[in-house]
Each structure stands twice: as C-alpha cells, then as structure tokens.
Amino acid sequence: MDTGGRPSAAQLILLGASSAVAAALYSVYRHKVQAARELKGAKKIHLGEDLKSILSDAPGKCVPYAVIEGAVRSVKETLNSQFVENCKGVIQRLTLQEHKMVWNRTTHLWNDCEKIIHQRTNTVPFDLVPHADGTGVAVRVLKPLDSADLGLETVYEKFHPTVQSFTDAIGHYISGERPKGIQETEEMLKVGAAVTGVGELVLDNSSICLRPPKQGLQYYLSSQDFDALLQRQESGVKLWKILTVVSGLAACATLLFILRRQYLHRRERQRMKQAREEFRLREAQLLRAASAEDRETLKNACAVCLSNVRSCVFLECGHVCSCGECYQALPEPKTCPVCRREIVRVVPLYDS
C-alpha cells in the first residue's frame, strides 16, 4: 500500500531497535575499555618485607588500585571437599544444575536449556603470601565474593541422567520439556593456589588488607597471572568493539535504506508533477489550435494516449483519466496516473 513516501511502522521499529542495540553495545564497550585501561594502569606491588613501609608512606596508607601476586594460605580453618579426599580450600562452591530439552514452537526444534536449581558458597578467611615459602608478609583478602573474576578450580563434576519411563516420555513430549539430568559440580579455591589480586591495598593498624576498590574500579582474584588477565580483558574489548561496529553498521544501513526510499519517492513525485505540467501545456496548445468541436473531444481525451475517450473510473481515488486500453497497459501494481494511488477496482464509464 502507498504510504505517501512516509517510512512504514516496521521500518521505524527496525531503525529504533537497531539504534538501541548499537547504543547499548557501545555503552558496554566503553565500560570494558575503561576497565582494561584502569587495569593496565594498576600499580604492581611485590609481597616483600618493605610492603608496610610502602603503604605507610602512601597517602591515606593505601594504594587505590594495586596488583599483588601470591599463594593462598588459610588463616585458621580450611574447607574440605565433599567429594575429593585431601582437597582443602578457602572458598567452596557447590552447584546443582538442571539440563533439559525445551521445544521451540517457532523453529520446531528441541533446544538445550540449563538452569541452576541450587548453589551454595562457603568461605573462610585467607591471606595471600609470597610463593617462595609462604612466610613473611601476608595480605588479608576481604570480600572475595565481590570479585569480578574469582579463580575457582573445578575439583568434582558428575552428571546424573534422568531415568524416564515410556509414560514419562509421552508426557514430556506433550508438555514440551524433556529432562536430561542433573549436573553436580564442586569448585574450590585451594590452599596454596596462585592468585593475582587487583584491588585497594590498605594498611589497617598492623595488618595489610586487599579489598574491593572504590570509584567503580573492578576487583579481581584471578588464577591467571597479571599479563594473562590483562590480555583476556583486552581481547574482550576487541570482541565488544566488533559487536558495536556491526550493530552500528546495521543501524546506518537501515537509516540509508529509509532515506533512499524517501529520495526515490520524492524524485518520482517531481517526475509526475513535471509530466502533469507538460500534459497541461500540451493540452492547452491543442485546445488553442483545435476547432470548437475538437476542443470538446480533447477535454475528455485519455490522459495517457490523448486519443481515446476517458472511459474508466479508478477507485478508491475516483479519478477519471484513462481509457480502457491504457488501463490494461498500466504496469503491475496498477496505480492511478494522476495521484499514483493503488487502483483497487475499476468502474466503466458510459455516456448516454
């Protein structure tokens, strides 16, 4: 249907959606760039005997964003693995995850679906100490669960498949959900594991603490070394940059498509306006040169061929401007030669 050159609702929705996605991805990309830049500028500090003197001389007895690398040492008690013997740690996470197949009514396919049905995390106080002998200066780690990258190691993983009877299988096909089983997982931060901590390093009385930084900086307790952690963050920045560029190009392509349709419609209107002007000038010239009897015939002449008598009424616009032969010769979809509206039906015109 002719919309008078205005963008359709679908085009406007597509443009708005693509622009919103591009803006959201750009916001995430900027956040990732800022986090990677701040991580790259963090101050590396060695866990040595001079650490207390460094913090004592620092403003406020703290380093706002510091990097330390050390081994995990429990303060008092440790956590024992529920499934692995002689496996001790300071952070333990137990997870029960349901796996099932869900019928997609749009694609008519079974899709894998995962859902965490239970998760529990246990922690005990722990320090970061030098890798060499585990003695000397110790840094107490505060609020480890606030870390954006908690380097837990999977120590146990087992999948318990669901046993189904024939009746259960029929019921699952009818309901559109087919259980596969339960996956049981145990993750731990082991005693003695190498950890890279990035956060606010502060001297509190006689103890040194690593805690979540202020001003929105990211807090890390990663099992990777600093170089690998930084490289992973920069790789994430590249991925978000590609997604942002692709979504931005999609939004620009949608906008250019709408603008091109606007341009073509305007050019078509100008062409039709020029054609109507030329027709009126030509008709006026013929009327001036014709006799009185011929003038009456020219007034009722077909606007297309200027020879046959107008014999068609176009609906819904109501224009009477064409003969039957020229109407049949109009290209599909047939539109009125005067207003370019779609011709829904034609009513023959008879002179009595």
Side-chain angles (χ1 to χ4, degrees):
M1 182 179 292
D2 186 16
T3 58
R6 297 184 300 273
S8 64
Q11 293 172 353
L12 293 177
I13 292 173
L14 181 60
L15 177 61
S18 58
S19 301
V21 171
L25 291 177
Y26 179 72
S27 176
V28 175
Y29 165 70
R30 288 291 302 272
H31 178 73
K32 295 290 184 181
V33 169
Q34 184 67 20
R37 185 182 297 117
E38 291 165 348
L39 180 61
K40 190 174 183 178
K43 183 178 181 180
K44 290 186 178 181
I45 298 180
H46 179 67
L47 286 176
E49 296 294 338
D50 58 345
L51 181 56
K52 285 188 178 182
S53 61
I54 294 175
L55 292 175
S56 298
D57 297 337
K61 295 184 178 182
C62 78
V63 178
Y65 210 41
V67 180
I68 58 172
E69 296 180 352
V72 175
R73 185 184 70 182
S74 61
V75 176
K76 294 182 180 179
E77 57 182 6
T78 58
L79 299 172
N80 296 317
S81 171
Q82 294 188 4
F83 305 98
V84 182
E85 294 183 1
N86 300 323
C87 183
K88 299 180 181 295
V90 293
I91 300 178
Q92 179 188 49
R93 177 173 292 167
L94 300 170
T95 305
L96 290 178
Q97 191 174 42
E98 180 187 15
H99 292 256
K100 60 183 178 180
M101 303 287 287
V102 178
W103 177 254
N104 191 317
R105 304 191 179 190
T106 304
T107 61
H108 298 285
L109 295 173
W110 288 95
N111 298 327
D112 288 320
C113 181
E114 300 175 359
K115 178 183 178 183
I116 296 177
I117 57 179
H118 179 72
Q119 189 175 76
R120 186 177 79 246
T121 303
N122 303 318
T123 62
V124 294
F126 66 96
D127 296 334
L128 291 182
V129 296
H131 291 288
D133 53 5
T135 60
V137 177
V139 176
R140 180 67 51 85
V141 178
L142 304 179
K143 298 182 179 180
L145 299 183
D146 291 347
S147 169
D149 182 14
L150 191 58
L152 299 180
E153 178 185 350
T154 301
V155 297
Y156 176 81
E157 188 174 20
K158 187 175 182 180
F159 184 75
H160 303 276
T162 301
V163 179
Q164 301 182 25
S165 64
F166 180 73
T167 306
D168 294 335
I170 294 177
H172 295 153
Y173 273 100
I174 294 175
S175 63
E177 293 187 1
R178 188 172 61 188
K180 295 174 63 178
I182 303 295
Q183 182 172 334
E184 192 174 17
T185 306
E186 183 182 23
E187 300 170 287
M188 295 190 72
L189 181 59
K190 294 181 180 180
V191 174
V195 169
T196 301
V198 184
E200 184 182 60
L201 199 62
V202 59
L203 178 63
D204 186 8
N205 295 328
S206 61
S207 62
I208 304 174
C209 300
L210 180 70
R211 62 189 183 187
K214 300 175 183 178
Q215 302 175 351
L217 300 176
Q218 291 287 341
Y219 186 34
Y220 299 96
L221 291 174
S222 176
S223 59
Q224 299 176 316
D225 58 26
F226 179 72
D227 293 334
L229 177 62
L230 180 60
Q231 184 178 3
R232 192 180 69 178
Q233 296 299 319
E234 291 177 344
S235 299
V237 169
K238 292 179 181 178
L239 174 62
W240 285 101
K241 182 178 181 180
I242 292 173
L243 293 175
T244 302
V245 170
V246 171
S247 61
L249 291 176
C252 292
T254 305
L255 179 61
L256 290 176
F257 173 76
I258 294 176
L259 292 178
R260 182 176 180 276
R261 285 182 60 93
Q262 292 282 312
Y263 168 74
L264 293 177
H265 179 79
R266 181 171 179 175
R267 191 173 67 174
E268 179 67 14
R269 289 181 59 185
Q270 291 177 346
R271 189 184 69 81
M272 291 301 302
K273 182 178 180 181
Q274 183 179 0
R276 287 195 294 268
E277 288 293 334
E278 292 177 354
F279 172 75
R280 281 194 290 267
L281 291 175
R282 179 59 178 167
E283 186 180 35
Q285 292 176 358
L286 291 175
L287 288 173
R288 286 195 300 268
S291 61
E293 183 179 351
D294 292 336
R295 289 177 185 176
E296 191 65 27
T297 303
L298 286 172
K299 288 182 180 179
N300 295 323
C302 171
V304 180
C305 63
L306 294 177
S307 58
N308 297 329
V309 179
R310 303 176 185 181
S311 59
C312 298
V313 181
F314 297 152
L315 299 177
E316 300 289 335
C317 65
H319 283 123
V320 183
C321 58
S322 173
C323 63
E325 295 179 0
C326 292
Y327 164 72
Q328 295 296 335
L330 290 176
E332 297 290 345
K334 297 183 184 300
T335 57
C336 175
V338 176
C339 64
R340 310 304 295 175
R341 288 183 61 182
E342 184 181 0
I343 300 174
V344 179
R345 60 194 182 98
V346 179
V347 178
L349 183 64
Y350 300 102
D351 290 333
S352 57

